[in-house]
Amino acid sequence: MVNKLDYITVLLNEWKTHILCVTEHWLSYDELSEIKIPDFYLADCCCRLHSNQHGGSAIFLRNGIIADKKIDVTNLVKPFVFEPCCVLIQHFNLLCINFYRSSHNCRANYNEFLSYIDEVLHLAIKADKNINSLLF
């Protein structure tokens, strides 16, 4: 991700993007929190313990767009199977869920992966009762 920041910045400005979801950023939390994308901030992320393990997911929001709630999905993180981050953005009436799933041994963990997605959606509904309108 670090070597693509100039390209990302051009695209974000050209497309007038408000939300950037990144997967496979390959960074630790400390490294990711140091990433500076003009007019954006890191709203939530999931990082593997060691950046050399690759993977991970992150959500960046344009300055002025407030992540009203960070839905805590840290207990659902399973490296190589489900690496989620999640924010609720009332301004857009939007739940943003970003996750990475490694293609390593993909058949063996597919059902487990689907169960994690189901769990994230249940957590989100519990966090905000009005969110069910976004799911249908």
Side-chain angles (χ1 to χ4, degrees), residues 26-81:
W26 295 16
L27 302 171
S28 69
Y29 178 78
D30 290 339
E31 293 167 327
L32 191 59
S33 62
E34 292 293 317
I35 294 290
K36 302 296 182 219
I37 300 173
D39 297 323
F40 280 79
Y41 71 96
L42 180 63
D44 196 18
C45 65
C46 177
C47 303
R48 293 186 184 164
L49 292 177
H50 304 285
S51 60
N52 64 349
Q53 292 181 329
H54 303 165
S57 63
I59 300 171
F60 292 86
L61 299 178
R62 186 171 292 278
N63 291 338
I65 305 297
I66 298 168
D68 298 289
K69 289 185 183 174
K70 238 172 92 170
I71 312 252
D72 186 10
V73 292
T74 53
N75 62 323
L76 297 176
V77 173
K78 185 169 182 186
F80 302 96
V81 177

Side-chain angles (χ1 to χ4, degrees), residues 61-136:
L61 299 178
R62 186 171 292 278
N63 291 338
I65 305 297
I66 298 168
D68 298 289
K69 289 185 183 174
K70 238 172 92 170
I71 312 252
D72 186 10
V73 292
T74 53
N75 62 323
L76 297 176
V77 173
K78 185 169 182 186
F80 302 96
V81 177
F82 193 66
E83 300 172 21
C85 54
C86 183
V87 294
L88 177 63
I89 307 165
Q90 297 278 13
H91 178 80
F92 294 122
N93 195 28
L94 176 74
L95 173 67
C96 183
I97 303 170
N98 186 27
F99 53 84
Y100 173 71
R101 175 179 173 262
S102 173
S103 60
H104 175 73
N105 200 14
C106 62
R107 285 189 178 162
N109 61 31
Y110 188 70
N111 287 335
E112 184 179 17
F113 167 74
L114 291 177
S115 71
Y116 282 116
I117 290 177
D118 188 52
E119 188 64 31
V120 167
L121 292 176
H122 281 92
L123 282 173
I125 291 169
K126 288 178 190 173
D128 186 332
K129 298 298 183 197
N130 294 326
I131 207 149
N132 58 356
S133 64
L134 297 174
L135 301 175
F136 302 103

